[in-house]
Amino acid sequence: MESISRRKFLGLGATAAAVAAGGALAAGCSSPDPAHQGSADSNSGSGKAVDFSKMEAGTLKVGAGHADIKLDAYCPIEEGNTQAGGTPDFVHSEGYYTNVHEGHDLRFSIVLIEFNDQRYAISSIEHVNPVNIDADKKLIEQLTGVDPASQWYHNPHVLSAPHDIPQEAIDAAITEACEAATASLRDAKYGFGEGVTYANTNRCYETAAGWNQVSNDAGNTDHVLPVMRFDDAKGNPIAILYTVNMAAGTLENAMNSEIDPAGRQITCDIAGLSERAVEEYYGGDCVAVYFAGCTGDQWGSVRAEYNYVTGPKDDLEYKTGFFDTAAGFLMLDVASSRLAVAVIDAANGIETGDAHVVAYENQKFEYKQLDKDKLKAGSDPKTFQYVQSESKPTCTTDVSVFAIDDVAFTGVKPEMNIQSLKDVRAGSPYAHNIMQCWVSFDGDSVQGYLPDQEGFDQSGKQASKTSFMPGSAEEMVGHAVDMLDNLYPQA
């Protein structure tokens, strides 16, 4: 198995001290609101009883910036667009994009974190699936001095964005955002808290025809809302980072030319609108960034494309349809405002303080690759056949870990099911654990869905669109936990 490791472990200026079993909150962290206990799972891991507050504090500086991705300036969004050699790249399976909904521009955001003179970049691009990841990270390096190996590059999988965005528009946004982040870099404090959001729900439900995509509030899900806050020396928020276990898809396929003469409108969806609401609340130059957590079997609890089942219990019929455009955008306003309130409530409960340890590691791993052509080779169309590919028996993807004191982020490129987050949480030595999907170390790593064993057993959408053999999610969780163990300081 190929393993490429880039490890940076900084700030261990004093000996860690042991505290009571179960682990202590890191300095600068806030415990969940007691009123919320029981209403959501906790991100707490197994803990190794290290009191980070008794370590020597490091020097932390943070800067943040964002910029709109101005599509029209580089490629007019209209039917008949023939960018890139005659192919209408703005055509989507649901119809042409006709315009950007007013005030809903996509954007690129970046947070620079400098700890004891080592600099990291955490960025997010509001996109469906960026393809020039290596070039983007190289440009970020040129503008900020952050090596690509120390960059956390994420996209929240905004499903109401084009699958292809002109690179010139992306480059312009990256440049503007990086310049703002570099110019605003200043002494900072950090803090972490957990709120609760019901913006997401499980989307797997069994019908007579098999497992379908239906909102399933009784299914496996997770409503923890992790929030990290960075303040300047005066207590003003520099950046607020939050993670939701769903793709940004309130509108998704609803706005399309088949049902609306206005056509398919581009929008930053719940990711961008909730960010803007948080920023408006705090004012100043605060930058809020939405991150997609586990998106494999989770989607928005409010969606303009409705999916439901009806009929007798032994013959449930799957139905789908769309609310009209006005209703869809109203639903988006409600959903994004509700999420923003939850983020603000969690952020307001955080007390920021010193950072003591910042750790980062990325490794590449090989996994067994699925032969997709043989999925439906059996006699039962509701049960897939999982056969390893003979022509390409393995595929490679990466796992990243970024930790500040007792708060750890695990980043993976595939769309994991929620159980994988819970498994990482159960095995992690860190007190607080977040998993983010759509985190890309480079452009070569394999993505797509990666269900847990239950997801494979269901033979649903996630299993139909994966490149991985069953067992790969559990193997990836094991790799993540090993990395977390490796980075965690010894008591």
mmCIF file of all heavy atoms in Angstrom, residues 45-83:
data_model
loop_
_atom_site.group_PDB
_atom_site.id
_atom_site.type_symbol
_atom_site.label_atom_id
_atom_site.label_comp_id
_atom_site.label_asym_id
_atom_site.label_seq_id
_atom_site.Cartn_x
_atom_site.Cartn_y
_atom_site.Cartn_z
ATOM 1 N N GLY A 45 -15.105 12.449 21.312
ATOM 2 C CA GLY A 45 -14.458 11.173 21.074
ATOM 3 C C GLY A 45 -14.198 10.461 22.389
ATOM 4 O O GLY A 45 -14.732 10.826 23.439
ATOM 5 N N SER A 46 -13.371 9.439 22.335
ATOM 6 C CA SER A 46 -13.080 8.660 23.532
ATOM 7 C C SER A 46 -12.234 9.449 24.516
ATOM 8 O O SER A 46 -12.303 9.251 25.720
ATOM 9 C CB SER A 46 -12.364 7.364 23.145
ATOM 10 O OG SER A 46 -11.175 7.653 22.420
ATOM 11 N N GLY A 47 -11.428 10.378 24.005
ATOM 12 C CA GLY A 47 -10.627 11.231 24.871
ATOM 13 C C GLY A 47 -9.443 10.500 25.482
ATOM 14 O O GLY A 47 -9.538 9.335 25.833
ATOM 15 N N LYS A 48 -8.302 11.199 25.621
ATOM 16 C CA LYS A 48 -7.130 10.591 26.242
ATOM 17 C C LYS A 48 -6.630 11.419 27.420
ATOM 18 O O LYS A 48 -5.490 11.309 27.821
ATOM 19 C CB LYS A 48 -6.023 10.404 25.204
ATOM 20 C CG LYS A 48 -6.247 9.192 24.303
ATOM 21 C CD LYS A 48 -4.985 8.815 23.575
ATOM 22 C CE LYS A 48 -5.175 7.531 22.784
ATOM 23 N NZ LYS A 48 -3.970 7.135 22.045
ATOM 24 N N ALA A 49 -7.536 12.262 27.942
ATOM 25 C CA ALA A 49 -7.257 12.959 29.201
ATOM 26 C C ALA A 49 -6.032 13.846 29.146
ATOM 27 O O ALA A 49 -5.245 13.887 30.082
ATOM 28 C CB ALA A 49 -7.138 11.943 30.341
ATOM 29 N N VAL A 50 -5.861 14.575 28.059
ATOM 30 C CA VAL A 50 -4.796 15.566 27.978
ATOM 31 C C VAL A 50 -5.408 16.943 28.205
ATOM 32 O O VAL A 50 -6.390 17.303 27.563
ATOM 33 C CB VAL A 50 -4.090 15.518 26.610
ATOM 34 C CG1 VAL A 50 -3.172 16.716 26.431
ATOM 35 C CG2 VAL A 50 -3.289 14.233 26.488
ATOM 36 N N ASP A 51 -4.847 17.712 29.147
ATOM 37 C CA ASP A 51 -5.314 19.064 29.418
ATOM 38 C C ASP A 51 -4.462 20.037 28.606
ATOM 39 O O ASP A 51 -3.355 20.397 28.996
ATOM 40 C CB ASP A 51 -5.211 19.360 30.914
ATOM 41 C CG ASP A 51 -5.842 20.696 31.275
ATOM 42 O OD1 ASP A 51 -6.164 21.463 30.347
ATOM 43 O OD2 ASP A 51 -6.026 20.964 32.477
ATOM 44 N N PHE A 52 -4.994 20.430 27.453
ATOM 45 C CA PHE A 52 -4.224 21.305 26.563
ATOM 46 C C PHE A 52 -3.967 22.664 27.194
ATOM 47 O O PHE A 52 -2.985 23.334 26.857
ATOM 48 C CB PHE A 52 -4.966 21.460 25.234
ATOM 49 C CG PHE A 52 -4.898 20.245 24.357
ATOM 50 C CD1 PHE A 52 -5.770 19.192 24.536
ATOM 51 C CD2 PHE A 52 -3.950 20.147 23.342
ATOM 52 C CE1 PHE A 52 -5.712 18.066 23.729
ATOM 53 C CE2 PHE A 52 -3.879 19.028 22.537
ATOM 54 C CZ PHE A 52 -4.760 17.980 22.732
ATOM 55 N N SER A 53 -4.838 23.088 28.099
ATOM 56 C CA SER A 53 -4.672 24.418 28.701
ATOM 57 C C SER A 53 -3.417 24.515 29.559
ATOM 58 O O SER A 53 -2.941 25.609 29.850
ATOM 59 C CB SER A 53 -5.898 24.757 29.556
ATOM 60 O OG SER A 53 -5.981 23.924 30.691
ATOM 61 N N LYS A 54 -2.865 23.378 29.973
ATOM 62 C CA LYS A 54 -1.643 23.385 30.781
ATOM 63 C C LYS A 54 -0.384 23.360 29.920
ATOM 64 O O LYS A 54 0.728 23.373 30.436
ATOM 65 C CB LYS A 54 -1.652 22.200 31.753
ATOM 66 C CG LYS A 54 -2.671 22.374 32.883
ATOM 67 C CD LYS A 54 -2.524 21.274 33.924
ATOM 68 C CE LYS A 54 -3.261 21.626 35.198
ATOM 69 N NZ LYS A 54 -4.692 21.691 35.054
ATOM 70 N N MET A 55 -0.576 23.319 28.606
ATOM 71 C CA MET A 55 0.562 23.422 27.698
ATOM 72 C C MET A 55 0.898 24.898 27.456
ATOM 73 O O MET A 55 0.098 25.795 27.725
ATOM 74 C CB MET A 55 0.254 22.758 26.365
ATOM 75 C CG MET A 55 0.032 21.262 26.447
ATOM 76 S SD MET A 55 -0.354 20.575 24.818
ATOM 77 C CE MET A 55 -0.424 18.838 25.213
ATOM 78 N N GLU A 56 2.080 25.120 26.945
ATOM 79 C CA GLU A 56 2.486 26.481 26.616
ATOM 80 C C GLU A 56 1.698 26.976 25.413
ATOM 81 O O GLU A 56 1.578 26.287 24.402
ATOM 82 C CB GLU A 56 3.982 26.507 26.301
ATOM 83 C CG GLU A 56 4.530 27.889 25.963
ATOM 84 C CD GLU A 56 6.013 27.858 25.670
ATOM 85 O OE1 GLU A 56 6.679 26.898 26.104
ATOM 86 O OE2 GLU A 56 6.504 28.771 24.983
ATOM 87 N N ALA A 57 1.127 28.165 25.519
ATOM 88 C CA ALA A 57 0.353 28.744 24.421
ATOM 89 C C ALA A 57 1.269 29.110 23.262
ATOM 90 O O ALA A 57 2.408 29.557 23.460
ATOM 91 C CB ALA A 57 -0.406 29.971 24.897
ATOM 92 N N GLY A 58 0.769 28.899 22.055
ATOM 93 C CA GLY A 58 1.518 29.281 20.870
ATOM 94 C C GLY A 58 1.088 30.650 20.365
ATOM 95 O O GLY A 58 0.159 31.268 20.886
ATOM 96 N N THR A 59 1.761 31.104 19.331
ATOM 97 C CA THR A 59 1.431 32.383 18.717
ATOM 98 C C THR A 59 0.501 32.126 17.535
ATOM 99 O O THR A 59 0.885 31.487 16.556
ATOM 100 C CB THR A 59 2.697 33.103 18.239
ATOM 101 O OG1 THR A 59 3.567 33.314 19.354
ATOM 102 C CG2 THR A 59 2.348 34.444 17.607
ATOM 103 N N LEU A 60 -0.715 32.619 17.631
ATOM 104 C CA LEU A 60 -1.733 32.380 16.611
ATOM 105 C C LEU A 60 -2.086 33.680 15.907
ATOM 106 O O LEU A 60 -2.370 34.698 16.542
ATOM 107 C CB LEU A 60 -2.995 31.795 17.260
ATOM 108 C CG LEU A 60 -4.188 31.532 16.332
ATOM 109 C CD1 LEU A 60 -3.874 30.405 15.357
ATOM 110 C CD2 LEU A 60 -5.438 31.190 17.154
ATOM 111 N N LYS A 61 -2.049 33.627 14.585
ATOM 112 C CA LYS A 61 -2.527 34.732 13.755
ATOM 113 C C LYS A 61 -3.525 34.178 12.743
ATOM 114 O O LYS A 61 -3.334 33.069 12.229
ATOM 115 C CB LYS A 61 -1.371 35.419 13.029
ATOM 116 C CG LYS A 61 -0.395 36.136 13.952
ATOM 117 C CD LYS A 61 0.675 36.878 13.151
ATOM 118 C CE LYS A 61 1.599 37.636 14.094
ATOM 119 N NZ LYS A 61 2.643 38.392 13.349
ATOM 120 N N VAL A 62 -4.550 34.946 12.461
ATOM 121 C CA VAL A 62 -5.584 34.506 11.533
ATOM 122 C C VAL A 62 -5.990 35.670 10.642
ATOM 123 O O VAL A 62 -6.101 36.814 11.094
ATOM 124 C CB VAL A 62 -6.825 33.965 12.289
ATOM 125 C CG1 VAL A 62 -7.941 33.594 11.312
ATOM 126 C CG2 VAL A 62 -6.450 32.756 13.142
ATOM 127 N N GLY A 63 -6.213 35.373 9.378
ATOM 128 C CA GLY A 63 -6.773 36.331 8.428
ATOM 129 C C GLY A 63 -7.781 35.624 7.553
ATOM 130 O O GLY A 63 -7.687 34.412 7.328
ATOM 131 N N ALA A 64 -8.760 36.348 7.054
ATOM 132 C CA ALA A 64 -9.807 35.717 6.257
ATOM 133 C C ALA A 64 -10.272 36.648 5.150
ATOM 134 O O ALA A 64 -10.207 37.876 5.279
ATOM 135 C CB ALA A 64 -10.986 35.327 7.142
ATOM 136 N N GLY A 65 -10.737 36.042 4.064
ATOM 137 C CA GLY A 65 -11.264 36.824 2.950
ATOM 138 C C GLY A 65 -12.180 35.979 2.089
ATOM 139 O O GLY A 65 -12.123 34.750 2.117
ATOM 140 N N HIS A 66 -13.038 36.647 1.330
ATOM 141 C CA HIS A 66 -13.891 35.956 0.369
ATOM 142 C C HIS A 66 -14.142 36.866 -0.825
ATOM 143 O O HIS A 66 -13.940 38.085 -0.752
ATOM 144 C CB HIS A 66 -15.210 35.506 1.011
ATOM 145 C CG HIS A 66 -16.002 36.627 1.640
ATOM 146 N ND1 HIS A 66 -16.613 37.618 0.923
ATOM 147 C CD2 HIS A 66 -16.273 36.886 2.945
ATOM 148 C CE1 HIS A 66 -17.232 38.441 1.740
ATOM 149 N NE2 HIS A 66 -17.035 38.034 2.973
ATOM 150 N N ALA A 67 -14.571 36.272 -1.919
ATOM 151 C CA ALA A 67 -14.843 37.044 -3.130
ATOM 152 C C ALA A 67 -15.875 36.308 -3.971
ATOM 153 O O ALA A 67 -15.867 35.077 -4.049
ATOM 154 C CB ALA A 67 -13.564 37.268 -3.936
ATOM 155 N N ASP A 68 -16.756 37.073 -4.602
ATOM 156 C CA ASP A 68 -17.747 36.483 -5.502
ATOM 157 C C ASP A 68 -17.076 35.949 -6.762
ATOM 158 O O ASP A 68 -16.081 36.511 -7.247
ATOM 159 C CB ASP A 68 -18.786 37.526 -5.917
ATOM 160 C CG ASP A 68 -19.714 37.924 -4.777
ATOM 161 O OD1 ASP A 68 -19.743 37.199 -3.764
ATOM 162 O OD2 ASP A 68 -20.392 38.962 -4.895
ATOM 163 N N ILE A 69 -17.610 34.837 -7.270
ATOM 164 C CA ILE A 69 -17.158 34.280 -8.543
ATOM 165 C C ILE A 69 -18.044 34.880 -9.628
ATOM 166 O O ILE A 69 -19.202 34.504 -9.782
ATOM 167 C CB ILE A 69 -17.264 32.745 -8.539
ATOM 168 C CG1 ILE A 69 -16.417 32.163 -7.407
ATOM 169 C CG2 ILE A 69 -16.828 32.163 -9.883
ATOM 170 C CD1 ILE A 69 -16.609 30.676 -7.191
ATOM 171 N N LYS A 70 -17.521 35.846 -10.355
ATOM 172 C CA LYS A 70 -18.306 36.607 -11.324
ATOM 173 C C LYS A 70 -18.375 35.854 -12.650
ATOM 174 O O LYS A 70 -17.525 36.010 -13.529
ATOM 175 C CB LYS A 70 -17.698 37.995 -11.518
ATOM 176 C CG LYS A 70 -17.787 38.876 -10.275
ATOM 177 C CD LYS A 70 -19.240 39.187 -9.908
ATOM 178 C CE LYS A 70 -19.338 40.197 -8.776
ATOM 179 N NZ LYS A 70 -20.750 40.481 -8.414
ATOM 180 N N LEU A 71 -19.393 35.050 -12.797
ATOM 181 C CA LEU A 71 -19.515 34.201 -13.980
ATOM 182 C C LEU A 71 -19.731 35.005 -15.247
ATOM 183 O O LEU A 71 -19.107 34.765 -16.286
ATOM 184 C CB LEU A 71 -20.664 33.218 -13.785
ATOM 185 C CG LEU A 71 -20.486 32.217 -12.651
ATOM 186 C CD1 LEU A 71 -21.778 31.438 -12.430
ATOM 187 C CD2 LEU A 71 -19.358 31.258 -12.935
ATOM 188 N N ASP A 72 -20.637 35.966 -15.217
ATOM 189 C CA ASP A 72 -20.997 36.682 -16.437
ATOM 190 C C ASP A 72 -19.845 37.471 -17.038
ATOM 191 O O ASP A 72 -19.818 37.744 -18.233
ATOM 192 C CB ASP A 72 -22.172 37.627 -16.166
ATOM 193 C CG ASP A 72 -23.484 36.879 -16.023
ATOM 194 O OD1 ASP A 72 -23.588 35.796 -16.621
ATOM 195 O OD2 ASP A 72 -24.378 37.366 -15.322
ATOM 196 N N ALA A 73 -18.885 37.829 -16.206
ATOM 197 C CA ALA A 73 -17.755 38.611 -16.719
ATOM 198 C C ALA A 73 -16.877 37.796 -17.651
ATOM 199 O O ALA A 73 -16.135 38.355 -18.454
ATOM 200 C CB ALA A 73 -16.922 39.130 -15.546
ATOM 201 N N TYR A 74 -16.959 36.474 -17.576
ATOM 202 C CA TYR A 74 -16.083 35.633 -18.367
ATOM 203 C C TYR A 74 -16.830 34.750 -19.359
ATOM 204 O O TYR A 74 -16.256 34.318 -20.350
ATOM 205 C CB TYR A 74 -15.246 34.735 -17.437
ATOM 206 C CG TYR A 74 -14.344 35.533 -16.539
ATOM 207 C CD1 TYR A 74 -14.761 35.918 -15.272
ATOM 208 C CD2 TYR A 74 -13.085 35.945 -16.969
ATOM 209 C CE1 TYR A 74 -13.937 36.670 -14.446
ATOM 210 C CE2 TYR A 74 -12.259 36.696 -16.154
ATOM 211 C CZ TYR A 74 -12.688 37.061 -14.896
ATOM 212 O OH TYR A 74 -11.876 37.801 -14.090
ATOM 213 N N CYS A 75 -18.083 34.492 -19.098
ATOM 214 C CA CYS A 75 -18.808 33.575 -19.960
ATOM 215 C C CYS A 75 -20.302 33.848 -19.818
ATOM 216 O O CYS A 75 -20.907 33.449 -18.823
ATOM 217 C CB CYS A 75 -18.505 32.131 -19.569
ATOM 218 S SG CYS A 75 -19.214 30.917 -20.680
ATOM 219 N N PRO A 76 -20.927 34.553 -20.741
ATOM 220 C CA PRO A 76 -22.356 34.854 -20.622
ATOM 221 C C PRO A 76 -23.180 33.586 -20.454
ATOM 222 O O PRO A 76 -22.975 32.594 -21.144
ATOM 223 C CB PRO A 76 -22.674 35.544 -21.955
ATOM 224 C CG PRO A 76 -21.371 36.090 -22.412
ATOM 225 C CD PRO A 76 -20.340 35.100 -21.954
ATOM 226 N N ILE A 77 -24.095 33.633 -19.502
ATOM 227 C CA ILE A 77 -24.892 32.461 -19.183
ATOM 228 C C ILE A 77 -26.183 32.545 -19.981
ATOM 229 O O ILE A 77 -27.131 33.233 -19.620
ATOM 230 C CB ILE A 77 -25.183 32.397 -17.674
ATOM 231 C CG1 ILE A 77 -23.873 32.458 -16.904
ATOM 232 C CG2 ILE A 77 -25.956 31.145 -17.316
ATOM 233 C CD1 ILE A 77 -24.046 32.733 -15.440
ATOM 234 N N GLU A 78 -26.216 31.874 -21.089
ATOM 235 C CA GLU A 78 -27.384 31.938 -21.957
ATOM 236 C C GLU A 78 -27.434 30.673 -22.810
ATOM 237 O O GLU A 78 -26.430 30.008 -23.028
ATOM 238 C CB GLU A 78 -27.306 33.168 -22.861
ATOM 239 C CG GLU A 78 -26.060 33.186 -23.732
ATOM 240 C CD GLU A 78 -25.910 34.486 -24.519
ATOM 241 O OE1 GLU A 78 -26.565 35.474 -24.163
ATOM 242 O OE2 GLU A 78 -25.124 34.475 -25.473
ATOM 243 N N GLU A 79 -28.611 30.361 -23.277
ATOM 244 C CA GLU A 79 -28.755 29.197 -24.134
ATOM 245 C C GLU A 79 -27.931 29.404 -25.400
ATOM 246 O O GLU A 79 -27.918 30.479 -26.003
ATOM 247 C CB GLU A 79 -30.226 28.976 -24.487
ATOM 248 C CG GLU A 79 -30.468 27.675 -25.208
ATOM 249 C CD GLU A 79 -31.943 27.308 -25.231
ATOM 250 O OE1 GLU A 79 -32.721 27.914 -24.486
ATOM 251 O OE2 GLU A 79 -32.285 26.403 -25.997
ATOM 252 N N GLY A 80 -27.235 28.374 -25.816
ATOM 253 C CA GLY A 80 -26.385 28.487 -26.978
ATOM 254 C C GLY A 80 -24.952 28.792 -26.649
ATOM 255 O O GLY A 80 -24.107 28.898 -27.536
ATOM 256 N N ASN A 81 -24.633 28.965 -25.376
ATOM 257 C CA ASN A 81 -23.254 29.191 -24.975
ATOM 258 C C ASN A 81 -22.396 28.024 -25.446
ATOM 259 O O ASN A 81 -22.720 26.867 -25.237
ATOM 260 C CB ASN A 81 -23.184 29.298 -23.448
ATOM 261 C CG ASN A 81 -21.771 29.557 -22.964
ATOM 262 O OD1 ASN A 81 -20.917 28.704 -23.117
ATOM 263 N ND2 ASN A 81 -21.549 30.717 -22.408
ATOM 264 N N THR A 82 -21.307 28.323 -26.100
ATOM 265 C CA THR A 82 -20.469 27.255 -26.661
ATOM 266 C C THR A 82 -19.022 27.388 -26.201
ATOM 267 O O THR A 82 -18.090 27.298 -26.997
ATOM 268 C CB THR A 82 -20.534 27.259 -28.197
ATOM 269 O OG1 THR A 82 -20.174 28.560 -28.670
ATOM 270 C CG2 THR A 82 -21.923 26.912 -28.675
ATOM 271 N N GLN A 83 -18.862 27.662 -24.936
ATOM 272 C CA GLN A 83 -17.518 27.726 -24.378
ATOM 273 C C GLN A 83 -16.821 26.378 -24.550
ATOM 274 O O GLN A 83 -17.444 25.332 -24.556
ATOM 275 C CB GLN A 83 -17.617 28.082 -22.887
ATOM 276 C CG GLN A 83 -16.285 28.094 -22.169
ATOM 277 C CD GLN A 83 -16.473 27.912 -20.676
ATOM 278 O OE1 GLN A 83 -17.578 27.757 -20.209
ATOM 279 N NE2 GLN A 83 -15.373 27.909 -19.945
#
